Amino acid sequence: MKPSLSIIIPAYNCKRFIWECVKSVNLDQDIDLNKIEILIINDFSSDGSSVVIKKIKNSFSNVRVFQNKKNQGVSYSRNKGIKNAKGDYIIFLDSDDYLKKNCLKSIFCEFIKKKK
């Protein structure tokens, strides 16, 4: 099933925050997770973020991880996410941010209104 929404998360030295960020998407939303894919682009982190990101990938089936071969910056990482996104819509989320509880439902309603 093709996801409706791709959430792109560039990740650089974010081991303290990335779990809460992804949790806010996967556990705090009132929406079918099959409609969402999360793309984490690890921008050559050096703080152990890779270990946390691997645990996230193993915990959630809708997470895909990409690794930059060297630090490229947020724009490069977002563009890499766009190239690999499968969703009809794309949202960027920083690795130290989180979504408020059930906000994706409101976002989807806005997408549908604008589409009509």
Side-chain angles (χ1 to χ4, degrees):
M1 177 178 192
K2 181 182 176 208
S4 299
L5 180 64
S6 297
I7 299 177
I8 297 171
I9 305 172
Y12 179 71
N13 289 348
C14 59
K15 75 176 183 178
R16 295 183 316 158
F17 312 108
I18 188 77
W19 182 265
E20 287 300 315
C21 175
V22 174
K23 183 181 137 263
S24 78
V25 176
N26 273 341
L27 300 180
D28 296 342
Q29 302 302 316
D30 184 20
I31 196 163
D32 180 3
L33 292 181
N34 290 321
K35 293 183 176 186
I36 303 169
E37 71 169 345
I38 299 172
L39 292 84
I40 300 174
I41 295 81
N42 187 357
D43 194 19
F44 208 69
S45 295
S46 59
D47 71 339
S49 294
S50 298
V51 173
V52 178
I53 291 168
K54 185 176 182 180
K55 287 179 184 176
I56 291 169
K57 184 179 182 336
N58 291 336
S59 298
F60 299 107
S61 61
N62 65 335
V63 173
R64 296 192 295 143
V65 175
F66 300 88
Q67 177 70 47
N68 292 343
K69 294 183 192 275
K70 63 180 184 173
N71 183 261
Q72 297 283 325
V74 69
S75 296
Y76 179 91
S77 298
R78 285 181 177 157
N79 286 331
K80 189 173 195 171
I82 291 168
K83 288 177 187 169
N84 288 283
K86 296 179 181 175
D88 297 320
Y89 301 99
I90 293 174
I91 292 177
F92 297 119
L93 187 62
D94 291 335
S95 59
D96 61 346
D97 289 339
Y98 63 93
L99 296 178
K100 291 205 178 221
K101 192 167 182 75
N102 297 323
C103 77
L104 284 181
K105 193 171 192 175
S106 299
I107 291 170
F108 267 116
C109 288
E110 286 300 314
F111 285 155
I112 291 166
K113 274 193 233 175
K114 300 284 184 200
K115 193 173 183 178
K116 289 181 180 181

